[in-house]
Amino acid sequence: MHELGIVYHIIRDVENVARANGVRRVSSVTLLLGEVSGVVPDLLLDAWRWAADKKPITEGAELIVEPVEAVTHCEVCGRDYATVEHGKICPHCGSGDTYLLQGQEVMIKQIETPDEEPTEASLSEPVDAPDAVDAAHPLHIA
Ligand SMILES: [Zn+2]
């Protein structure tokens, strides 16, 4: 299952970012998902629930998928158009000399941490945990 492999990549990245920031739990992960990334959001969410709940750091955490529209650029007439609608052939000039500008990304945009619950042990000093960790970087998926 393709989506499960991607989920494992995401969880590993989340673990790395959380560790680097001293975060023990995350409440949600926002993922930028390109229209032509080949990833099915529903399958990804199912795989996330299954795999994330097995890790203490992501247990119960929500995966928020933010779709990214696929856009192709035409080198001949210099215009951009919707990839899903028109494919590799430019609808403006009919050229096939085109390339994808965006729409293939599978990228963590943001990681949210839960509000710190006050405990008896931490009455003196509040734990300085970031509410949001900026983790925007591409996942390298073979
Ligand atoms: Zn064109």
Side-chain angles (χ1 to χ4, degrees):
M1 187 179 172
H2 183 55
E3 279 74 12
L4 189 56
I6 292 167
V7 160
Y8 283 134
H9 275 275
I10 296 168
I11 290 175
R12 200 187 55 201
D13 274 22
V14 168
E15 284 177 328
N16 288 339
V17 172
R19 206 171 295 133
N21 289 278
V23 172
R24 282 160 304 173
R25 285 184 73 88
V26 303
S27 53
S28 73
V29 175
T30 306
L31 191 74
L32 295 176
L33 191 62
E35 256 185 341
V36 294
S37 62
V39 177
V40 182
D42 283 352
L43 296 180
L44 191 70
L45 291 170
D46 284 350
W48 170 263
R49 191 72 282 138
W50 183 84
D53 285 350
K54 289 183 164 51
K55 301 271 190 174
I57 203 159
T58 50
E59 192 187 348
E62 191 187 354
L63 183 67
I64 300 161
V65 172
E66 258 184 40
V68 178
E69 191 200 0
V71 177
T72 294
H73 179 77
C74 174
E75 294 218 82
V76 175
C77 70
R79 293 164 88 169
D80 301 335
Y81 63 88
T83 311
V84 171
E85 227 172 302
H86 303 288
K88 284 184 163 65
I89 304 300
C90 174
H92 304 293
C93 72
S95 168
D97 200 2
T98 60
Y99 63 89
L100 192 70
L101 285 178
Q102 61 173 57
Q104 272 188 315
E105 45 278 274
V106 180
M107 190 186 291
I108 295 173
K109 182 190 178 192
Q110 197 174 58
I111 297 169
E112 297 273 345
T113 59
D115 294 334
E116 282 298 318
E117 290 158 38
T119 62
E120 291 81 9
S122 67
L123 282 173
S124 50
E125 284 287 310
V127 182
D128 189 22
D131 288 323
V133 179
D134 184 20
H137 64 108
L139 299 174
H140 299 289
I141 295 156

